Amino acid sequence: MTFDARKANTASASGQQNALFALITIVVVCGAFFAVLSLPHKAASKDTPLGDRVSSVTIDMPNLPGEAAEAYFIALGKVDPEAQMALSGKIAKAGKLDDEAMTTLVMAHAETVLRDHASYLAQADTKHLDDILDMTRDRLRTASRKRSKWCDAGRYSDLADMEFKQPADFEKSMAEFKAPLRDYSFDVMAGLMIAIEDAREHPVTRGELTRADEAALQGMVMSIMADPDVLPLMVSLQSGADAKKALKGVNVCTLGATAVTAAKTLPQETKGRLLAEAARQLEENGASAFRTGVGF
């Protein structure tokens, strides 16, 4: 077991929240960018680090919405077989559900699982967080390279108008939005299960966030703001330019990959304490702790 607490240099409670939400915002927003990309989901293989470490299922596989959901179900069984059995029972009791309803059921159950195992997640090696960040960045870059229509920031402002003027088209677009969101969410959940499983055998004990962590986060944000792809957009928006015009043609996939790359440069100790703080917040307040800090 390793120990990296620095009690003498502990950040304030408000500073902890701000630092925590800064990283969560980056991860969630970047994940959301990929989530709306119309890319096919690749089955887990030796080329997919998260899926590669998930063994075969030990109970009957329920009818889940895709391979990513199945990989999560398998990973859940390795961490908490009773929770896996309970989820299987909930699915059987619910009967025939569409993919969206099934995802809602599984994710509601997953929130409880994460909360129950938050103490282990707090002690997970940061390599697992890096795996999730790598996965997000790689998919964003792939989407950008393939010129996905969802990489155009202007598309999101168009959706806002479409919701009221063309509700049928809006629902169709939202269906495109939600399908890859499911796969990405299940991939992240599988990664978190792997992190929890590893933490049981190789726990890392950490202290609270420090002022050095806050400084590192501020430096990360500044590096993002100074990026050649980000700076012109910020200048345009701050000048009072029309937001829709400023966003048109902006590649959010590239911006998301930039943000993830910046997050990767944080010191491992800082990422570890951020992960531990996120887990503590989850254990105390559930997922609502993050919904109040992330406007997405």
Side-chain angles (χ1 to χ4, degrees), residues 145-223:
R145 187 171 62 251
K146 291 186 175 182
R147 300 179 183 275
S148 168
K149 64 182 180 182
W150 290 105
C151 289
D152 182 1
R155 188 171 185 83
Y156 303 102
S157 57
D158 292 341
L159 279 177
D161 293 336
M162 188 187 300
E163 182 177 6
F164 301 102
K165 298 177 181 178
Q166 300 167 291
D169 291 339
F170 175 77
E171 290 300 324
K172 182 178 179 180
S173 294
M174 288 304 295
E176 293 180 17
F177 180 106
K178 291 175 182 177
L181 173 59
R182 287 194 293 269
D183 284 347
Y184 179 82
S185 299
F186 284 123
D187 282 338
V188 171
M189 287 302 305
L192 294 177
M193 292 299 105
I194 291 168
I196 290 168
E197 180 188 10
D198 181 50
R200 288 174 170 172
E201 299 296 326
H202 308 99
V204 181
T205 303
R206 302 180 171 100
E208 296 180 350
L209 289 166
T210 68
R211 298 195 185 281
D213 296 332
E214 289 192 37
L217 280 163
Q218 290 171 357
M220 178 194 69
V221 172
M222 292 301 294
S223 71

Side-chain angles (χ1 to χ4, degrees), residues 15-173:
Q16 291 176 8
Q17 285 293 97
N18 291 337
L20 172 63
F21 289 145
L23 185 60
I24 290 173
T25 298
I26 288 171
V27 174
V28 170
V29 170
C30 293
F33 285 157
F34 174 73
V36 300
L37 305 180
S38 52
L39 295 176
H41 177 71
K42 183 178 180 181
S45 70
K46 65 181 180 181
D47 296 321
T48 54
L50 295 182
D52 192 38
R53 287 175 286 157
V54 177
S55 66
S56 60
V57 70
T58 56
I59 66 173
D60 289 341
M61 177 69 71
N63 186 22
L64 293 167
E67 294 180 359
E70 292 174 356
Y72 164 65
F73 185 80
I74 294 167
L76 171 62
K78 296 183 70 176
V79 168
D80 192 334
E82 290 186 3
Q84 186 193 53
M85 289 289 291
L87 176 58
S88 183
K90 286 178 178 289
I91 293 171
K93 185 177 180 180
K96 187 174 179 59
L97 298 174
D98 62 23
D99 287 351
E100 184 176 348
M102 180 64 73
T103 299
T104 299
L105 184 155
V106 176
M107 285 301 173
H109 180 268
E111 181 179 335
T112 300
V113 172
L114 279 180
R115 195 168 185 173
D116 289 344
H117 297 278
S119 60
Y120 288 112
L121 185 59
Q123 300 178 81
D125 194 300
T126 54
K127 67 182 180 183
H128 300 293
L129 177 58
D130 284 335
D131 283 344
I132 293 172
L133 290 172
D134 284 339
M135 175 185 66
T136 304
R137 181 180 59 186
D138 291 346
R139 295 186 183 185
L140 285 164
R141 286 175 173 173
T142 298
S144 180
R145 187 171 62 251
K146 291 186 175 182
R147 300 179 183 275
S148 168
K149 64 182 180 182
W150 290 105
C151 289
D152 182 1
R155 188 171 185 83
Y156 303 102
S157 57
D158 292 341
L159 279 177
D161 293 336
M162 188 187 300
E163 182 177 6
F164 301 102
K165 298 177 181 178
Q166 300 167 291
D169 291 339
F170 175 77
E171 290 300 324
K172 182 178 179 180
S173 294

Side-chain angles (χ1 to χ4, degrees), residues 240-283:
D242 181 82
K244 287 187 178 181
K245 290 182 178 179
L247 290 173
K248 192 171 182 61
V250 171
N251 189 321
V252 294
C253 300
T254 298
L255 297 186
T258 295
V260 175
T261 298
K264 283 272 293 180
T265 66
L266 287 170
Q268 293 301 108
E269 295 83 358
T270 296
K271 284 187 278 190
R273 285 188 285 272
L274 283 167
L275 177 62
E277 180 62 24
R280 282 191 287 267
Q281 291 290 332
L282 177 65
E283 188 171 24

